[in-house]
């Protein structure tokens, strides 16, 4: 099954940053859907927790040079 996780993403300053983060998220194994909003700095990620954890998702965002923290 899938769950939806919300992540606060810091360091995004333009639309290209948003596309970049969305691209990273969508390419992760276990991630089904990812929508990132610049105005709120929130990313909503639909993922399969048996394949990837919320910490793995946050780490992938941080590896790309942004800050990420799990919200709920
Ligand atoms: Mo444009 Mo967003 O260089 O970091 S991609 S501000």
């Amino acid at each position: 099954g899938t769950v939806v996780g919300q992540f606060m993403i810091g360091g995004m300053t333009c639309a290209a940053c948003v596309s970049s983060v969305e691209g990273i998220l969508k390419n992760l194994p276990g991630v089904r859907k990812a929508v990132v909003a610049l105005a709120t700095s929130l990313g909503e990620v639909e993922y399969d927790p048996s394949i990837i954890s919320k910490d793995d998702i946050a780490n992938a965002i941080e590896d790309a040079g942004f800050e990420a923290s799990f919200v709920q």
Side-chain angles (χ1 to χ4, degrees):
T2 58
V3 298
V4 176
Q6 264 190 1
F7 296 83
M8 183 63 68
I9 303 166
M12 297 189 300
T13 52
C14 73
C17 296
V18 172
S19 301
S20 167
V21 173
E22 280 183 347
I24 289 155
L25 290 170
K26 287 175 179 170
N27 281 327
L28 294 172
V31 171
R32 300 280 157 75
K33 196 176 163 188
V35 180
V36 176
L38 182 59
T40 55
S41 296
L42 278 176
E44 220 167 59
V45 185
E46 193 178 309
Y47 64 100
D48 183 338
S50 72
I51 299 175
I52 190 164
S53 69
K54 59 182 169 56
D55 289 335
D56 290 336
I57 293 170
N59 285 337
I61 297 168
E62 301 223 332
D63 285 349
F66 300 93
E67 288 122 49
S69 56
F70 182 73
V71 178
Q72 64 174 28

